[in-house]
Amino acid sequence: MLRFVTSNPGKVREAREYLPETVEQVEYDYPEIQSADLAEIAAAGVRDAFEEIGEPVFVDDSGLFIDAFDGFPGPYSSYVEGRLGIERVWRLAERENENERGARFRTVVAYADGGTVETFEGSVPGRIVAPRGDGGFGYDPIFEHRGRTFAEMSTDAKNAVSHRSRALAKFADWIAQRDESSREGR
Ligand code: IMP
């Protein structure tokens, strides 16, 4: 069984679609270190969560990286969403040259079981546009990928291409390989 340390049940549903083992949600508010590197933040978080929970756990950390702002808000995405809101992020991006409005969602999944912490990264390219659509959450209405914003896509269509699903797919492959090697080792 895998324990996903998150307060977001939507993420847990998505993880269950990708991972071969049972996924249980654990609510534990681990401290987030300050870093420009998502993998470092996720790795520190999962180490802390493992120490607290004492069982194999994973966490994820995501952000929106906007080219014109040199990757900002990146690891500060949640703070910026809460303080400025996505409409104002769009208005800031709108002032930039159109071909500078490229962006990327990135997610790092980090897993700890007492051995080396493993991290898996997924990302999806897109561009920042005026808000459209009422689906999804967070920055979805201003993130366009192949002509549609994430907020205009069904959950399945978004999950098929999303940063989080790509990171989860890598994590799932790693689990499958690890289980296969441990079976062969028996
Ligand atoms: P967290 O890693 O889930 O805390 O997400 C950090 C920030 O990125 C929050 O502001 C989320 O709303 C935003 N975010 C993460 N994933 C997505 C997504 O799939 N769509 C839109 N916003 C997202």
Side-chain angles (χ1 to χ4, degrees):
M1 187 225 287
L2 292 164
R3 290 171 178 79
F4 190 177
V5 183
T6 176
S7 55
N8 184 333
K11 289 185 178 180
V12 180
R13 274 195 297 277
E14 198 179 338
R16 286 191 176 127
E17 283 182 27
Y18 286 91
L19 300 175
E21 292 181 36
T22 320
V23 175
E24 185 184 289
Q25 179 176 5
V26 178
E27 293 218 28
Y28 165 62
D29 202 9
Y30 56 87
E32 273 201 10
I33 61 159
Q34 277 226 353
S35 164
D37 181 350
L38 279 188
E40 248 176 56
I41 300 171
V46 84
R47 254 185 226 109
D48 181 278
F50 177 75
E51 268 170 33
E52 174 70 22
I53 292 154
E55 303 278 352
V57 282
F58 70 100
V59 305
D60 82 344
D61 199 33
S62 308
L64 176 65
F65 294 73
I66 300 176
D67 296 347
F69 307 151
D70 208 13
F72 186 82
Y76 310 105
S77 295
S78 179
Y79 184 77
V80 168
E81 185 191 339
R83 292 288 162 131
L84 290 184
I86 65 161
E87 176 75 44
R88 280 162 87 184
V89 172
W90 154 244
R91 275 191 259 132
L92 287 172
E94 190 184 14
R95 292 150 66 157
E96 303 293 327
N97 199 311
E98 192 155 0
N99 52 25
E100 283 283 299
R101 293 192 202 141
R104 191 170 274 277
F105 267 127
R106 292 172 56 208
T107 292
V108 173
V109 167
Y111 170 80
D113 59 7
T116 318
V117 168
E118 302 286 341
T119 57
F120 308 89
E121 180 172 332
S123 76
V124 59
R127 63 186 200 107
I128 303 301
V129 296
R132 298 196 319 260
D134 352 279
F137 68 97
Y139 293 91
D140 282 347
I142 63 166
F143 185 82
E144 187 188 74
H145 175 74
R146 299 202 176 142
R148 281 187 299 168
T149 67
F150 269 7
E152 291 175 317
M153 295 183 185
S154 66
T155 307
D156 284 352
K158 177 184 164 184
N159 288 351
V161 295
S162 86
H163 46 312
R164 190 168 302 101
S165 67
R166 288 174 179 174
L168 285 168
K170 286 186 189 167
F171 181 31
D173 282 351
W174 180 82
I175 293 172
Q177 264 177 20
R178 180 197 64 178
D179 291 352
E180 200 175 307
S181 343
S182 76
R183 265 197 303 277
E184 280 165 4
R186 252 191 265 138

